[in-house]
Amino acid sequence: MANFQTHFNVASFVSALGAGTMYYAGLIDKSEATLLFVGGIVGGILPDIDSDNSTPTKIMQYIFANLVSFFVLFKYIGEYPILNLIFIWIGSFSITMFLFYLFNRFTTHRGMFHSIPAAFIFWFGFSLLFYYIFNYSYIISWYFGMFIFLGYITHLLLDEIYSVDLSGARLKKSFGTAFKLYNKDIKTTALFYIIATLLFVLMPYKQNFIYSFTKFDIITTYHKLLRKVR
């Protein structure tokens, strides 16, 4: 299994590449590219939220709780006085950390949260959160969730790569426990698929999201990126 630093660094690289490509393709602006970059990093460390109380996990939880608090606070800036905003920040942070506590207590590491259906749940869940709660446009909400998914899948693939012992030409016991479609608990597996399906049904403007990629010109984008590198 890859460590926290590896997951963070690889997710950062993949997110930067993805956000940069979309920016040079004209799909997003600079501020949106930064937002998506952050989303990819968050997605890259999310699968380990079911881990034990290790230091990297705690750091990740504090970072995530602060991000949630920031977005909640940003929603109400200008509507409430500063004292109310402070309580909103504290409340958002406390609720998020309490949810992490409950989550860690009732889940096991390398369970269904290390799976492809979980990646889709977080894609659709974050997109709905950004669209309905934080009032982002439908397209940025879709894109942000997509980068959560991108980082999430990157994490799962890294864990599988690290499950292969190349020096001994063998597979470790952890192989197949990360990048998976199901686990032995059929009820839990079914629940994840049901949740993913329901969240997808709730997603807004599905056809518009797919149509947005028709503006993507990979040849032009490739040349722009080459000129930037040079």
Side-chain angles (χ1 to χ4, degrees):
M1 177 169 54
N3 58 29
F4 179 84
Q5 183 178 355
T6 301
H7 282 306
F8 184 88
N9 290 337
V10 175
S12 298
F13 172 77
V14 172
S15 301
L17 182 62
T21 300
M22 291 182 67
Y23 170 72
Y24 283 106
L27 298 175
I28 53 176
D29 59 29
K30 288 185 178 180
S31 62
E32 293 165 347
T34 302
L35 179 66
L36 299 189
F37 171 69
V38 173
I41 295 176
V42 171
I45 58 181
L46 263 179
D48 280 342
I49 59 174
D50 62 356
S51 183
D52 56 13
N53 293 323
S54 63
T55 300
T57 301
K58 280 295 183 182
I59 293 174
M60 177 196 69
Q61 291 176 356
Y62 285 128
I63 292 174
F64 188 78
N66 276 293
L67 280 174
V68 171
S69 302
F70 170 78
F71 283 115
V72 173
L73 183 70
F74 190 77
K75 176 180 173 63
Y76 294 107
I77 288 179
E79 296 184 22
Y80 297 103
I82 185 65
L83 184 61
N84 295 59
L85 294 176
I86 292 174
F87 281 113
I88 288 174
W89 178 283
I90 295 173
S92 302
F93 183 88
S94 301
I95 291 172
T96 305
M97 292 304 297
F98 179 69
L99 291 176
F100 272 126
Y101 166 77
L102 293 178
F103 191 87
N104 290 333
R105 183 165 182 173
F106 294 105
T107 59
T108 57
H109 190 46
R110 285 295 185 107
M112 273 301 290
F113 279 94
H114 267 70
S115 70
I116 298 173
F120 280 104
I121 287 175
F122 280 105
W123 177 349
F124 304 145
F126 270 94
S127 292
L128 290 170
L129 181 70
F130 267 59
Y131 181 71
Y132 288 109
I133 304 300
F134 299 138
N135 299 321
Y136 279 85
S137 68
Y138 77 88
I139 195 63
I140 295 303
S141 299
W142 265 102
Y143 286 162
F144 187 83
M146 182 179 70
F147 268 71
I148 291 286
F149 177 84
L150 178 65
Y152 210 100
I153 291 296
T154 300
H155 181 114
L156 301 185
L157 287 173
L158 273 175
D159 278 349
E160 290 296 354
I161 291 172
Y162 273 74
S163 296
V164 180
D165 184 359
L166 296 177
S167 61
R170 66 182 181 86
L171 300 178
K172 299 178 182 178
K173 291 182 179 180
S174 59
F175 183 78
T177 61
F179 197 74
K180 60 181 181 287
L181 292 168
Y182 61 90
N183 66 9
K184 296 179 181 179
D185 188 343
I186 302 301
K187 291 183 179 179
T188 302
T189 299
L191 178 62
F192 270 67
Y193 276 96
I194 291 171
I195 293 174
T197 302
L198 290 176
L199 291 177
F200 177 73
V201 170
L202 294 173
M203 290 290 286
Y205 304 104
K206 303 176 186 65
Q207 292 181 336
N208 290 15
F209 166 70
I210 297 173
Y211 175 75
S212 69
F213 282 97
T214 61
K215 299 185 295 182
F216 181 74
D217 185 345
I218 190 169
I219 303 299
T220 303
T221 303
Y222 174 72
H223 286 299
K224 285 182 179 179
L225 285 170
L226 280 182
R227 288 197 296 269
K228 184 67 175 180
V229 171
R230 292 172 181 172

